[in-house]
Amino acid sequence: MSFSPSAVRRNWLFCAVLLVGIVLRVLAMVGFRGVLWFNDSYDYVRIADDPFPHPLRPSGYGLFLWGLKPFHSLALVTVLQHAAVLGLAVLGYRMLVRDFEVRRTWAALAVAPVLLDAFQVTLEHLLLSDTLFTVLLFGAMLLLARPGAAGWRRAALVGALLGVAAVTRTVGVPLFLIAVLYLLLRRTRWPVYMALAVTFALPVGAYATWFQREQGRFQMTGVDGIFLWGRTAAFADCDAFTPPRDLASLCPYGAKGDRSASSHQIWEDNSPTGWSNGKAFDAETNARAQRFALWAIKNQPLDYLRVVSYDFFVRTFSWHRSRYPTVGTEARYHFPTRPTARKPRLPVYGGGDRRSVVYEYSHGTGRTHVVEPYAGMLRGYQKHVSVPGTVLGMVLLAGAAGMVWRRERARTALFWTSGVALLAIPPITVDFDYRYMLPALPFACFAAALAWGRRRPARPESEPVEAAPEVAAPAAQPAEA
């Protein structure tokens, strides 16, 4: 897409939205110098200092930081994350208009939430894996949906992107199945499936092999059972149902109505999981937690369905945000008034504490500098401009209706099912968190744009035009003598 004066006039709405998106990210860079920190951030920095397969979360993002370690700049990480999302928006708009034949207004509206949502800008400024995951996953689906025959070379690139996304966040693994189903709908030849599967399996298999060598288990993480335990800790009733003797110690504390959020119960002090900062869950604890979770789901299937449904339908699509899963966690998604309080001596798994791992990576303290008035401008903007969950739900409904009544059902379904999967998998397996909504947002918007915003196909020039019937000219009258 060129930015010549004529191109800007034709795409004026997108250019205006893009300009505002750029300004917001520049304000973030100058108003919050450095990065914004989350509890998980220190684990990723520890991976970057000396790469290893982390037992609590995939190391894909840590390896990305490791590639940038020679620059010793945390600010560079945020610059690249902001730039990647801006580039993704430009690419997405261009493909909507040129490749998918979507009207320019609809295309601009489809990318506007990604560019303008204040919480999206905050997420890009946090040292978390979500931005890299979104860019990899959405880029793969854009490439897969591009018109034209899906040859094995394109499928190989899509599979590689999906595989790298999966080792960045494991929630991306099921998206591979969605890609396969899309190719089945398009009736693709078998070499394409082979290329997709092989290039997806290479990064995933290599990472699982690395994990087995270091941690003794052929898998992506060592907490799948622990996370599922946290999901069932919201409703598991050990008074009404007696658990097996060897699992009784994993019964959640407190009455069901008074318990903390599912995910928080894993990490809180004196948790039945035995969590301690700087340590990992051993294989036996993870296996016992998984057995307890499956036992609870078997005995209380309706309670499990109720908890998952509430998180998916009520928390996800509510108009107002609540302080969930904890006040401190949700506060991390807002631009702060002062640097976030840290516990620098808190141990980090793999060795060292928070202060030492940050200093090794950045050769500095990593402290965020809040600079006014730029920071205040973004805080004010964040109070008024974001995509409420209710709006996201309406966009998803528009995409679902489009799959029934409009054309381009296969491509619409590809983006729509990807967005729904990204929203549904966390409540099913772990818990709800507001940052899990943002990677699904571009998928939902593109599904709606593909369903309702396409231009009417022009009549081909080779199509014969029906000629008007010829009218016979009146016979000439003989001239008078």
Side-chain angles (χ1 to χ4, degrees):
M1 175 181 172
S2 64
F3 287 93
S4 62
S6 61
V8 171
R9 285 194 298 270
R10 290 195 305 271
N11 304 278
W12 67 270
L13 181 57
F14 170 73
C15 291
V17 172
L18 178 62
L19 179 61
V20 175
I22 293 173
V23 170
L24 291 173
R25 285 154 179 84
V26 171
L27 286 175
M29 293 300 304
V30 299
F32 301 93
R33 295 180 183 175
V35 298
L36 298 178
W37 293 92
F38 199 80
N39 292 335
D40 301 354
S41 303
Y42 304 97
D43 289 328
Y44 291 124
V45 175
R46 178 62 187 85
I47 296 168
D49 287 339
D50 185 14
F52 68 100
H54 202 284
L56 302 181
R57 48 191 54 87
S59 300
Y61 183 66
L63 294 175
F64 166 74
L65 296 179
W66 171 72
L68 301 175
K69 185 182 177 182
F71 299 97
H72 301 295
S73 173
L74 294 169
L76 176 63
V77 178
T78 56
V79 167
L80 292 178
Q81 292 184 166
H82 288 309
V85 172
L86 291 172
L88 193 67
V90 173
L91 175 64
Y93 176 82
R94 181 187 183 279
M95 291 187 67
L96 281 176
V97 173
R98 293 192 177 185
D99 296 328
F100 302 136
E101 298 180 342
V102 172
R103 291 191 291 271
R104 288 183 171 87
T105 301
W106 278 86
L109 292 175
V111 299
V114 178
L115 290 172
L116 304 183
D117 188 292
F119 291 100
Q120 172 64 41
V121 181
T122 307
L123 190 62
E124 296 165 24
H125 216 65
L126 280 161
L127 203 67
L128 286 175
S129 62
D130 302 75
T131 299
L132 177 63
F133 173 75
T134 302
V135 171
L136 291 169
L137 191 62
F138 195 69
M141 293 308 186
L142 278 177
L143 183 61
L144 183 63
R146 186 178 179 183
W152 67 268
R153 291 182 180 85
R154 190 201 301 188
L157 181 55
V158 171
L161 290 173
L162 291 175
V164 177
V167 300
T168 302
R169 279 190 60 197
T170 54
V171 72
V173 173
L175 275 294
F176 169 75
L177 300 178
I178 294 177
V180 172
L181 291 175
Y182 174 76
L183 292 177
L184 286 172
L185 289 175
R186 302 300 299 270
R187 300 180 181 179
T188 311
R189 294 174 298 175
W190 69 266
V192 176
Y193 298 102
M194 291 297 297
L196 180 74
V198 168
T199 54
F200 174 79
L202 281 175
V204 173
Y207 185 83
T209 303
W210 186 30
F211 192 93
Q212 182 183 36
R213 189 177 64 184
E214 298 291 332
Q215 305 292 343
R217 289 168 277 179
F218 187 80
Q219 53 195 64
M220 303 285 285
T221 67
V223 288
D224 52 342
I226 292 290
F227 283 157
L228 191 60
W229 175 90
R231 175 74 290 183
T232 59
F235 62 84
D237 191 343
C238 292
D239 294 328
F241 304 92
T242 304
R245 183 175 301 178
D246 62 326
L247 303 180
S249 61
L250 290 171
C251 289
Y253 300 143
K256 287 197 297 183
D258 298 330
R259 296 175 188 172
S260 55
S262 293
S263 56
H264 183 63
Q265 291 192 58
I266 299 172
W267 318 109
E268 64 184 353
D269 295 336
N270 299 320
S271 170
T273 61
W275 162 250
S276 178
N277 284 293
K279 297 181 180 179
F281 300 103
D282 56 47
E284 181 183 355
T285 301
N286 185 65
R288 289 177 60 241
Q290 187 175 59
R291 287 175 51 213
F292 180 93
L294 295 176
W295 168 83
I297 294 172
K298 179 181 177 181
N299 286 279
Q300 300 172 256
L302 294 181
D303 287 332
Y304 172 70
L305 183 62
R306 175 184 55 81
V307 169
V308 171
S309 300
Y310 185 84
D311 280 357
F312 180 75
F313 290 105
V314 179
R315 294 193 195 279
T316 302
F317 302 119
S318 63
W319 183 268
H320 297 289
R321 296 169 68 102
S322 61
R323 310 308 294 270
Y324 189 89
T326 67
V327 173
T329 299
E330 199 274 335
R332 294 291 192 275
Y333 307 139
H334 296 258
F335 288 111
T337 56
R338 58 182 182 274
T340 304
R342 295 191 292 173
K343 299 178 180 179
R345 296 302 182 186
L346 207 64
V348 178
Y349 181 84
D353 53 35
R354 292 184 171 184
R355 175 180 293 175
S356 64
V357 298
V358 172
Y359 185 83
E360 181 179 348
Y361 185 86
S362 65
H363 290 186
T365 63
R367 185 177 178 83
T368 307
H369 297 279
V370 180
V371 182
E372 302 294 349
Y374 314 109
M377 295 168 64
L378 274 180
R379 289 194 298 268
Y381 178 86
Q382 192 169 42
K383 291 180 180 179
H384 301 95
V385 184
S386 63
V387 179
T390 307
V391 175
L392 175 60
M394 294 171 63
V395 173
L396 284 173
L397 288 176
M403 288 189 292
V404 177
W405 289 300
R406 305 290 287 184
R407 297 178 295 116
E408 289 295 328
R409 291 185 178 90
R411 289 193 181 96
T412 303
L414 174 65
F415 288 100
W416 190 86
T417 53
S418 298
V420 171
L422 291 173
L423 292 174
I425 293 172
I428 291 173
T429 58
V430 187
D431 198 359
F432 169 83
D433 195 298
Y434 283 104
R435 83 172 194 263
Y436 299 155
M437 295 171 58
L438 292 172
L441 187 57
F443 288 97
C445 294
F446 270 56
L450 285 171
W452 300 98
R454 283 173 54 85
R455 299 188 296 269
R456 292 183 178 181
R459 182 170 54 195
E461 295 180 1
S462 58
E463 181 177 339
V465 180
E466 184 178 355
E470 295 183 0
V471 179
Q477 299 296 325
E480 293 183 0

